[in-house]
Amino acid sequence: MTCATPRFQNSDDLPHPPCDIPEPAMPFLSDTLSRVKPSPTIAMTNKAAELKAEGRDIIGLSAGEPDFDTPANIAEAGRRAIAEGRTRYTAVDGIPELKRAICVKFKRDNDLDYTPSQVSVGTGGKQVLYNALMATLNPGDEVIIPAPYWVSYPDMVLLAGGTPVTVACGIAAGFKITPDQLEAAITPATKWFLFNSPSNPTGAGYSWDELKALSEVLLRHPHVWVMTDDMYEHLTFGDFRFCTPAQVEPELMGRTLTVNGVSKAYAMTGWRIGYAAGPEALIRAMAKVQSQSTSNPSSVSQWAAVEALNGPQDFIATNNTVFERRRDLVVAGLNAAPGVTCPVPDGAFYVYPDISGCIGKTSAGGTVIGDDEAFATALLEEEGVAVVFGAAFGLSPNFRVSYATSDAALEDACTRIRRFCEELR
Ligand SMILES: Cc1ncc(COP(=O)(O)O)c(C=O)c1O
């Protein structure tokens, strides 16, 4: 029996349904689902994995996670939690020990005073962001999102019934929103300003002065709340100093949700622990959403996160030295490719080169590079390098490289990208 054509928007993202189970008729699926698209980063990662399985020599630069193992003391805390039987349901939005560790972290790293009742713990930063949007958005509510953005923001807003309002922040502005742009985007329907620093996909970080200038706009619009995604706080380089809105402008504290997590800084992507701090009424509403969806995040992972936040922090600097070296290697390698301009990022483990100079040309394999998706697809097929095209992040023509992989793989990838660009006609 042959499979019916999968009805998903992108069959790379979702498994094909088994042949002998009838697919539901389309009206069975919710209208909400039709508004969102599957993650393009996962699609590229899957496509690369497929080619690899066929025996092709593929370098994957599309995954957004550190290539380091979870530090031994943290993994041991997880094992200890199992051995000690800490394997039952916990309080919905986090054990008290973790909430206390998060408060200590906010004081230590950001000079922010939060109490445990102002803290929410979820299954990754992703769930925490989603809970906050679900808990606050009504139809017609707008969320301002600077583009390029993390792929999930607009879709999460749509899933929660709101309207994403994206603001293009180009390479000339360092991929950052200006106070004038923010002012112009605010309407009476604006509920949140949602942003991320250092950024996935650009690595751009907002300085203290830049956040102060944005705060001044926000102070003029008391109905707008701030959702700051600080997931890459600890992955910063050189002179860049991380700061967060509630720290820069304490008057915003009462309408700011400061989101963070252990995934990136502690190489704990699979443990699934994220957290946020903000006004108690919002935190309670987020717990309500979580209580009727997933309940508590994994008990074992919560105990590992307590150790991550309370234990030694020195490996963060060690990892950053590695990431900074790779950043420099990739920036130099990409800037050597004709038609590519790669700015130097402040943090995270991504670069987001502009490829205006490649658009309209034809690859050695005969693909017309009409846009960044065509560029990324031809690059994967012809040179075996998997990157994510810029349209996925809302700003083109660009592509995102995740440099959380070995120096040798990065050098090889840069050589291939350079060759691909040199051969464009
Ligand atoms: C900007 C940003 N925010 C949030 C997340 C979610 O992280 P978590 O693994 O904690 O769900 C990611 C993960 O890629 C991210 O890049």
Side-chain angles (χ1 to χ4, degrees):
M1 183 180 172
T2 54
C3 285
T5 310
R7 290 159 193 228
F8 303 111
Q9 224 177 328
N10 182 339
S11 58
D12 289 334
D13 257 2
L14 294 163
H16 289 220
C19 301
D20 50 356
I21 298 177
E23 282 185 68
M26 213 43 195
F28 184 73
L29 303 178
S30 79
D31 292 345
T32 306
L33 200 62
S34 67
R35 290 202 293 268
V36 303
K37 56 185 184 321
S39 161
T41 47
I42 295 175
M44 278 313 274
T45 306
N46 288 355
K47 177 83 186 150
E50 235 170 63
L51 291 176
K52 218 170 193 167
E54 285 168 14
R56 293 274 312 272
D57 169 24
I58 302 294
I59 307 175
L61 304 179
S62 58
E65 61 181 345
D67 56 325
F68 305 122
D69 288 333
T70 303
N73 61 311
I74 300 173
E76 179 50 33
R79 274 192 292 272
R80 208 166 44 242
I82 297 173
E84 291 173 358
R86 298 175 194 269
T87 51
R88 299 177 186 274
Y89 290 132
T90 73
V92 165
D93 64 352
I95 55 176
E97 291 82 352
L98 180 52
K99 288 192 172 193
R100 278 199 295 274
I102 290 165
C103 292
V104 171
K105 171 257 163 317
F106 275 124
K107 186 66 188 165
R108 175 184 68 216
D109 299 339
N110 314 113
D111 198 21
L112 291 175
D113 292 297
Y114 286 115
T115 60
S117 60
Q118 295 174 309
V119 169
S120 185
V121 182
T123 301
K126 199 170 205 171
Q127 187 184 27
V128 172
L129 291 159
Y130 187 66
N131 286 344
L133 294 167
M134 284 296 284
T136 55
L137 293 183
N138 291 311
D141 285 347
E142 295 175 357
V143 179
I144 299 173
I145 304 171
Y149 43 70
W150 182 43
V151 288
S152 295
Y153 296 151
D155 288 312
M156 282 190 194
V157 170
L158 289 166
L159 274 174
T163 305
V165 175
T166 60
V167 178
C169 305
I171 193 169
F175 300 121
K176 289 182 268 192
I177 193 168
T178 64
D180 287 348
Q181 282 179 307
L182 179 59
E183 180 75 59
I186 292 174
T187 73
T190 307
K191 198 147 219 176
W192 288 102
F193 168 48
L194 165 56
F195 81 110
N196 170 223
S197 165
S199 148
N200 175 5
T202 66
Y206 287 81
S207 69
W208 185 283
D209 289 348
E210 286 165 340
L211 284 189
K212 191 82 188 164
L214 293 175
S215 305
E216 278 159 20
V217 175
L218 292 161
L219 289 175
R220 290 198 288 276
H221 299 279
H223 69 290
V224 180
W225 284 49
V226 184
M227 200 179 302
T228 171
D229 180 347
D230 299 352
M231 196 54 72
Y232 295 93
E233 163 181 15
H234 289 301
L235 300 168
T236 58
F237 315 123
D239 294 338
F240 179 76
R241 294 286 165 267
F242 173 83
C243 51
T244 190
Q247 169 191 27
V248 172
E249 180 45 76
E251 272 191 52
L252 288 177
M253 183 104 170
R255 52 182 166 116
T256 295
L257 186 71
T258 307
V259 182
N260 211 315
V262 295
S263 292
K264 314 287 176 170
Y266 301 94
M268 292 178 70
T269 46
W271 296 79
R272 310 306 304 129
I273 295 292
Y275 57 85
E280 221 175 298
L282 172 62
I283 295 298
R284 273 200 307 273
M286 290 164 60
K288 201 166 168 184
V289 174
Q290 191 162 300
S291 74
Q292 298 298 13
S293 51
T294 59
S295 281
N296 63 274
S298 151
S299 58
V300 172
S301 299
Q302 289 188 68
W303 284 105
V306 170
E307 173 63 18
L309 295 176
N310 287 345
Q313 305 288 306
D314 45 316
F315 68 91
I316 291 178
T318 313
N319 287 359
N320 280 5
T321 310
V322 174
F323 278 133
E324 188 163 359
R325 187 184 68 231
R326 292 174 179 173
R327 174 198 68 167
D328 293 343
L329 185 162
V330 169
V331 168
L334 293 176
N335 277 323
V340 177
T341 308
C342 185
V344 182
D346 302 306
F349 38 70
Y350 309 104
V351 291
Y352 198 65
D354 173 285
I355 52 165
S356 305
C358 304
I359 300 299
K361 300 193 170 173
T362 301
S363 72
T367 301
V368 177
I369 309 299
D371 55 23
D372 52 27
E373 183 167 2
F375 180 97
T377 306
L379 181 65
L380 179 57
E381 277 163 8
E382 295 177 28
E383 288 288 355
V385 179
V387 298
V388 187
F389 52 90
F393 307 98
L395 192 94
S396 294
N398 293 71
F399 65 89
R400 187 193 76 173
V401 163
S402 163
Y403 53 84
T405 190
S406 72
D407 292 24
L410 292 170
E411 271 166 25
D412 189 1
C414 287
T415 303
R416 296 185 195 196
I417 293 170
R418 203 161 51 240
R419 184 167 58 218
F420 179 81
C421 292
E422 279 165 0
E423 288 175 356
L424 292 175
R425 291 291 170 261

